[in-house]
Amino acid sequence: MASNKRARATPATTPATTLADANLIAQLVDVDGVAAGPELDLPPDVGARELQSLLRELLRASSANPEDDDRLTTPYAFYVDGEEVTGALAATIVERKISVEQVLKIVYQPQSVFRVRAVTRCSAAIAGHAEAVLSVAFSSDGKHLASGSGDSTIRMWNLDSQAPKHTLKGHTNWVLCIAWSADNVYLASGGMDSAVRLWDPITGEARGGPMKGHKKHVTALAWEPAHVAYPVVRFCSASADGSVRVWDAVRRACLFTMSAHTKAIASVKWGGEGLIYTASRDTTIYVWDANDGKVVRQLKGHGHWVNSLALSTEYALRTGPYDHTGKKPENDAQAKAQALTRYKAATGGKPERLVSGSDDYTMFMWEPSTTKTPLQRLTGHQQLINHVLFSPDGRYFASASFDKGVKLWDGLTGKFITSFRGHVGAVYQLAWSADSRLLMSASKDSTMKVWDARLKKLKEDLPGHADEVYAVDWSPMGTKAASGGKDKMLRLWMH
């Protein structure tokens, strides 16, 4: 199909009927712009299925070992100017007003080999907490679920019987944040009582007493990635006192404290490149060396509180050695190696990208391991941004705001894609399905909604809560979702 001669080109604004008269000169390239083969003479009615077959032939021709080449069995999505090709190529060209005077670059990107079905119904509404549910989190393998509440307790839930399993008591005030280690050996919690606690997920017993040191309430927690150290031992806690403490979970000791922020820290992420990222109400983001706590660089640009951070590799860091079925190697060395393989696949050989969302209605996209200059400044929200979150494949990220909207952005370029409208109250939190196709949002309007990222429309409306929904999480295995809020109820959602 390769053509040495350029077909008669058609103006960008030519209607599809005219476009259909001429072939298109196109080239399939990966996300880095590397061509899979020569320029091709394509009919304008070619679709994603034909492009898939064509790409596999090109990859097969260039493969040194076609029998064992995973690329030949991977499903791909195709994009022209950031728009996914879902129908005929000509329709995408006309819709986006793309010029065909030059060679048309069709970007291919691997998709997950499994598909997550949208949650459509509430399978259980479980009472137990005496106050609002402030956080919910599935474990890395999707087999455990925990929730933190304003009643000073954490509850572990049995996902099979959909009933309470353990009540973890020890905090003396609201439990504000919880975090699972990537090997599922520990659950960490932080609260209004300024204490950090560790728990055994199997027995529900406390791993020692409170770990003290912070002067004010603990706002966020993050564990060291499994591909860096396995079993996972270190984690960090961020506080309203402006400091971050790195702890040893086995020795239950603070290894070092990182203090540079002048106001409360709202978010902390432990990246896969040996860096820790913190966002603060002092309008700055700090990048720290995870080994000694020294400042690597300071990221400036926001004009108000920075509320949320999102890492492009977050899903790989969260799930560590576990695949999409919840399985991992039994051997620690093999588990660490598998976690590293999954992390490298998530990065695609590029540095991690970081997105920050702020009270100044804007977001910035950064590459913090290489530069302090932002890659993009993203505007569009009309009120403060509560939460930003990358899709598991890093292709998209989404933002939730007090302006009642959810926005979808290109995870590689930061380019705006679409707005999801439907909530009638502020949107508090987001959760992606493991296959990156669906996005769930939790709102002040007491509902949750599931959006289709590819079709850019509402997939499911999930009423059920009697009041504001503060927290939502989707199992890394994709089978269940959980939500909690002001009505003190934990709800489980299934297909």
Side-chain angles (χ1 to χ4, degrees):
M1 291 182 72
S3 170
N4 295 323
K5 264 202 250 177
R6 181 176 296 281
R8 180 171 60 83
T10 333
T13 53
T14 308
T17 51
T18 313
L19 249 180
D21 299 336
N23 279 10
L24 304 165
I25 305 299
Q27 192 169 36
L28 290 161
V29 299
D30 63 16
V31 291
D32 295 321
V34 179
E39 294 175 9
L40 305 168
D41 196 352
L42 297 179
D45 61 349
V46 69
R49 183 177 295 178
E50 292 80 11
L51 289 173
Q52 184 98 307
S53 301
L54 189 57
L55 175 63
R56 283 184 177 158
E57 288 305 315
L58 292 173
L59 294 175
R60 186 184 300 278
S62 64
S63 177
N65 188 6
E67 299 301 320
D68 297 322
D69 196 333
D70 291 339
R71 298 179 304 167
L72 303 180
T73 55
T74 300
Y76 290 90
F78 300 89
Y79 299 85
V80 175
D81 193 31
E83 183 78 12
E84 185 174 357
V85 178
T86 53
L89 194 56
T92 305
I93 291 169
V94 171
E95 183 183 334
R96 302 289 289 185
K97 298 182 180 178
I98 298 166
S99 171
V100 290
E101 294 285 350
Q102 299 173 335
V103 176
L104 187 69
K105 299 292 184 183
I106 303 173
V107 179
Y108 65 90
Q109 177 157 346
Q111 289 188 305
S112 57
V113 293
F114 60 97
R115 187 177 285 271
V116 173
R117 295 194 295 181
V119 291
T120 55
R121 62 186 176 87
C122 178
S123 63
I126 317 169
H129 282 298
E131 291 294 338
V133 179
L134 304 177
S135 55
V136 294
F138 283 94
S139 59
S140 304
D141 59 1
K143 294 175 182 174
H144 306 284
L145 174 66
S147 60
S149 168
D151 64 8
S152 308
T153 70
I154 300 135
R155 283 181 175 253
M156 304 283 296
W157 306 90
N158 187 316
L159 294 175
D160 295 322
S161 65
Q162 300 184 344
K165 188 176 177 184
H166 303 296
T167 301
L168 317 182
K169 296 181 178 179
H171 284 287
T172 57
N173 208 328
W174 298 358
V175 179
L176 297 177
C177 50
I178 53 177
W180 293 89
S181 61
D183 57 3
N184 293 326
V185 173
Y186 297 100
L187 174 69
S189 62
M192 282 290 285
D193 57 5
S194 309
V196 176
R197 285 182 172 269
L198 291 174
W199 311 88
D200 186 320
I202 306 301
T203 64
E205 297 295 319
R207 295 279 185 94
M211 299 159 74
K212 295 183 176 179
H214 286 299
K215 304 282 192 297
K216 293 184 179 178
H217 54 276
V218 180
T219 54
L221 299 161
W223 285 88
E224 186 171 24
H227 70 267
V228 178
Y230 200 94
V232 182
V233 172
R234 296 196 303 161
F235 71 101
C236 61
S237 59
S239 169
D241 64 13
S243 73
V244 181
R245 288 176 169 260
V246 174
W247 306 86
D248 184 309
V250 176
R251 290 163 44 208
R252 305 185 42 74
C254 177
L255 301 175
F256 51 87
T257 302
M258 303 183 293
S259 300
H261 287 294
T262 56
K263 292 186 179 176
I265 298 172
S267 181
V268 61
K269 300 291 179 187
W270 196 316
E273 299 171 327
L275 300 172
I276 295 172
Y277 313 105
T278 55
S280 168
R281 287 187 173 185
D282 64 12
T283 76
T284 67
I285 299 154
Y286 272 93
V287 183
W288 312 83
D289 188 310
N291 292 318
D292 56 20
K294 290 179 180 175
V295 174
V296 175
R297 54 181 56 93
Q298 185 184 24
L299 309 180
K300 289 183 175 180
H302 284 296
H304 211 304
W305 297 355
V306 188
N307 297 320
S308 180
L309 295 175
L311 268 177
S312 58
T313 54
E314 203 157 330
Y315 179 80
L317 296 176
R318 175 189 181 181
T319 51
Y322 292 94
D323 63 14
H324 68 277
T325 63
K327 294 177 182 174
K328 71 172 179 70
E330 292 302 317
N331 179 287
D332 284 355
Q334 291 175 342
K336 182 179 178 182
Q338 180 155 308
L340 180 60
T341 301
R342 298 183 73 249
Y343 175 76
K344 285 181 175 177
T347 62
K350 291 182 173 181
E352 287 179 323
R353 297 181 304 286
L354 183 76
V355 170
S356 54
S358 167
D359 266 28
D360 64 9
Y361 309 176
T362 73
M363 291 176 289
F364 280 97
M365 178 180 269
W366 315 84
E367 207 169 78
S369 62
T370 60
T371 176
K372 65 179 182 180
T373 305
L375 303 178
Q376 292 286 345
R377 180 175 182 264
L378 314 170
T379 60
H381 280 294
Q382 305 301 310
Q383 290 195 45
L384 65 87
I385 295 161
N386 278 314
H387 194 208
V388 286
L389 188 64
F390 269 93
S391 60
D393 62 5
R395 172 73 203 178
Y396 305 109
F397 66 90
S399 54
S401 168
F402 265 29
D403 65 10
K404 308 172 188 175
V406 176
K407 291 185 184 293
L408 189 67
W409 311 80
D410 188 299
L412 300 172
T413 65
K415 186 176 179 181
F416 171 74
I417 296 176
T418 192
S419 290
F420 294 130
R421 289 283 173 187
H423 284 297
V424 295
V427 187
Y428 291 139
Q429 203 168 27
L430 303 166
W432 280 94
S433 64
D435 62 358
S436 304
R437 293 181 173 97
L438 303 170
L439 175 69
M440 183 181 283
S441 55
S443 169
K444 182 179 181 178
D445 66 11
S446 81
T447 73
M448 295 193 309
K449 298 187 189 298
V450 179
W451 312 91
D452 190 310
R454 187 175 67 86
L455 300 177
K456 304 181 184 63
K457 66 178 186 180
L458 181 66
K459 180 90 172 174
E460 297 290 341
D461 201 345
L462 303 175
H465 280 285
D467 213 324
E468 304 179 29
V469 188
Y470 294 142
V472 62
D473 194 23
W474 205 319
S475 165
M477 306 309 107
T479 51
K480 296 181 178 71
S483 61
K486 200 173 180 180
D487 62 1
K488 311 172 190 175
M489 301 290 285
L490 184 99
R491 288 184 175 267
L492 290 175
W493 305 85
M494 296 176 69
H495 179 77

